[in-house]
Amino acid sequence: MSSSTNTKNISSKPIKINKWDTNALKNALNDACKKYFKETLNYTEDYSVMDRRLYISLISCLFSLYALIYDWFNPFPKSRSVLIACVASYFIIAGILTFYMRFIENGRFFTGKLIDKTGIDPGQKCKIISKLKKYDDIYNLTLEYYDGTNTSTSSVAVLKKSVGNYFDENGVLCYDKYINDLKKIYDQARSNARKVK
Amino acid sequence: MEIFSFVDDVKRMDKRQAIYQVLNFGMIISTALMIWKGLMVMTGSESPIVVVLSGSMEPAFHRGDLLLLTNYEEEPIRAGDIVVFRIEGRDIPIVHRVLKIHEKNDSYVKFLTKGDNNQVDDRGLYSPGQLWLEKKDVIGRARGFLPYIGMVTILMNDYPQLKYFVLAVLGFFVLVHREN
């Protein structure tokens, strides 16, 4: 076994996780799905959903940092109005972040675009959402496939299987089994979109 | 070993995930900080929660009790109130009861304090030459109390290594635990 710390090497080693930790299970399956879409199907990942989340967190942290620094230089009674403004804005932005993560992002962990090299086809888009409830073993993967820029030609394919199908006794992910199922729903979504067209 | 499974988890994090972990840690700290500042603003006191450090107010307050303070301008200080004050030049706050006050028509107050469990008044604690305390020395008046909880703070202050250790361990777990 090579001991190189090249990231490609690490990702090609089978993923081993604590099989009782539902978070680790979901993350491992999500990572494997992303890897399949990026490396095998050659999708380029669109980071805008994640970026927006990062920006909202960053802005809220900046508010609290500003409050901290301002209060450090102007001790309490003088900084009262600034503190009120910062505390209120912080909690409002934290509320926006929770709303964003719960309703708008809603488990979506991959948004990808497939750009056609010949430039003829406008390209396909894929949005993948995964859900795994805390003490549940059923992994719900929803794949929304958009053919071309016309969003009316889209189709949705769902994969609902127990995580027991993909992990062995030691918590090692059986990559090939998982990819087989992924490929099935991807092809299913693609053919459905073509039919609608 | 299953305990170290998170090490692989960390290695598999991409750049954005790592940034999110740091921001998540920042948000936890910011929430605590904003709650503290919010309390400061709501109570009007620069230190709305203090821990009783000595036994000078027994049997009312014991060492390790937590006190909630308010410092509203409109409420005048009266004899019998329990105030938390800081003597100029020293940074440890003291929790004692007001014994006597002198008040002028323009509401300028001077007052004398004494711990319930002490034999003499606090003039021995004040700065040399100072015989009375003024409103500006007051951090707030005790409005509510929680017994025993402040012992954690006293422990952390007596053993600073314990404090840094606990904070480091908590911070490490927040940074490493990935929950999307």
Side-chain angles (χ1 to χ4, degrees), chain B residues 127-141:
Chain B
S127 307
Q130 181 184 13
L131 294 173
W132 301 92
L133 285 177
E134 291 166 32
K135 191 100 186 4
K136 64 171 176 51
D137 301 312
V138 169
I139 301 175
R141 249 174 310 165

Side-chain angles (χ1 to χ4, degrees), chain B residues 27-106:
Chain B
M27 283 203 72
I28 292 179
I29 302 220
S30 303
T31 305
L33 185 73
M34 290 289 103
I35 292 179
W36 176 254
K37 300 283 181 214
L39 264 181
M40 271 171 65
V41 166
M42 273 196 322
T43 60
S45 155
E46 66 181 65
S47 177
I49 298 183
V50 292
V51 175
V52 175
L53 295 172
S54 70
S56 57
M57 280 300 282
E58 288 183 17
F61 301 135
H62 300 261
R63 185 173 140 89
D65 290 345
L66 207 73
L67 293 177
L68 174 67
L69 312 176
T70 65
N71 195 20
Y72 300 130
E73 288 286 325
E74 321 84 56
E75 291 172 354
I77 300 182
R78 290 284 168 258
D81 287 346
I82 300 177
V83 294
V84 179
F85 58 90
R86 206 179 263 149
I87 297 174
E88 230 161 304
R90 288 178 233 167
D91 50 24
I92 303 182
I94 305 175
V95 187
H96 284 166
R97 201 182 291 272
V98 172
L99 221 54
K100 287 187 201 173
I101 62 170
H102 283 306
E103 191 174 7
K104 278 210 272 207
N105 284 338
D106 61 4

Side-chain angles (χ1 to χ4, degrees), chain A residues 156-170:
Chain A
V156 176
V158 178
L159 170 68
K160 237 192 227 181
K161 279 228 182 131
S162 162
V163 289
N165 286 320
Y166 306 123
F167 289 91
D168 72 7
E169 288 272 310
N170 298 319

